[in-house]
Amino acid sequence: MSPRIGVLALQGDTREHLAALRAAGAEAVTVRRASEVDAVDALVIPGGESTTMSHLLREFELLEPLRARLADGMPAYGSCAGMILLASEILDAGVVGRDATPLGAIDITVRRNAFGRQVDSFEHDIVFAGLDRPVHAVFIRAPWVERVGPSVQVLAHAADHVVAVRQGRNLATAFHPEMTGDRRVHALFVDIVMGRA
Ligand code: GLN
């Protein structure tokens, strides 16, 4: 049976994640309300703008339902803005009241727009633990990880910074695998959800 994986569809590149998940063998559905959060086996938080997504999570009254399911062990994968939201601590989170709010699913500290201060976007082939060939990684005003908790596994680096992590059944990348047609990161997440990885 294929797992039912939701893609948070408040803002960001939802469609690409739905396509990537389907190609990786999952049933993929959009998630916009609390009842939909409760109806999925796992959740992807896409790239976009973490401050806007946090604002919409509050507006749609999704913040607490989402936190509850994550605390309860629902697997999650976040790319870029999604990585920021899954973190336990966010540096440069934005202005108070309009800031990116951490959901605390992965014990990492991320810095928003970290690479963006140097160069807005870039692409790089990076070694990704557990994957046979390098991943062509697209970074767009991307965060990097500045602190990794003791139970977090580092999966990839770019320019000497941590850009992909896993903690238990949660996965996060600072880059956008959904944009390249390479389905291996989504396939890894499907395997994690299925208990195969
Ligand atoms: N800079 C964005 C943020 O802070 C992330 C960019 C992205 O998701 N491509 O949320």
Side-chain angles (χ1 to χ4, degrees):
M1 257 218 358
S2 38
R4 184 177 163 86
I5 302 184
V7 178
L8 187 67
L10 301 178
Q11 189 255 350
D13 66 336
T14 308
R15 251 187 337 169
E16 290 79 359
H17 280 286
L18 290 168
L21 288 167
R22 285 172 189 147
E27 182 196 342
V29 296
T30 55
V31 165
R32 286 193 189 82
R33 58 193 92 204
S35 60
E36 292 167 340
V37 173
D38 288 335
V40 293
D41 300 316
L43 186 73
V44 169
I45 305 182
E49 177 49 56
S50 54
T51 53
T52 304
M53 267 192 248
S54 294
H55 172 68
L56 293 172
L57 282 172
R58 286 188 285 266
E59 287 288 299
F60 284 59
E61 294 180 0
L62 275 173
L63 203 52
E64 291 319 316
L66 198 48
R67 280 213 173 104
R69 284 230 55 203
L70 290 169
D72 200 40
M74 174 182 67
Y77 165 47
S79 71
C80 202
M83 169 188 255
I84 295 170
L85 293 178
L86 289 179
S88 50
E89 188 185 13
I90 303 170
L91 305 175
D92 293 340
V95 293
V96 176
R98 275 292 203 176
D99 51 342
T101 309
L103 295 167
I106 303 180
D107 184 16
I108 51 173
T109 300
V110 295
R111 186 174 294 280
R112 260 182 81 233
N113 299 336
F115 287 112
R117 276 197 302 264
Q118 296 170 1
V119 49
D120 258 8
S121 69
F122 65 100
E123 304 186 12
H124 201 63
D125 287 334
I126 59 173
V127 174
F128 194 105
L131 299 185
D132 49 351
R133 287 167 291 105
V135 171
H136 186 70
V138 178
F139 295 86
I140 304 167
R141 293 187 65 72
W144 66 45
V145 179
E146 290 203 357
R147 182 196 58 87
V148 171
S151 50
V152 175
Q153 185 189 357
V154 172
L155 300 178
H157 290 87
D160 287 334
H161 296 284
V162 172
V163 293
V165 294
R166 174 178 177 179
Q167 182 177 22
R169 302 213 293 162
N170 294 319
L171 186 68
T173 61
F175 54 91
H176 293 270
E178 74 280 8
M179 289 177 55
T180 61
D182 180 345
R183 306 308 191 203
R184 288 176 298 161
V185 173
H186 289 79
L188 169 63
F189 183 56
V190 172
D191 282 344
I192 291 173
V193 174
M194 302 282 284
R196 295 191 297 228

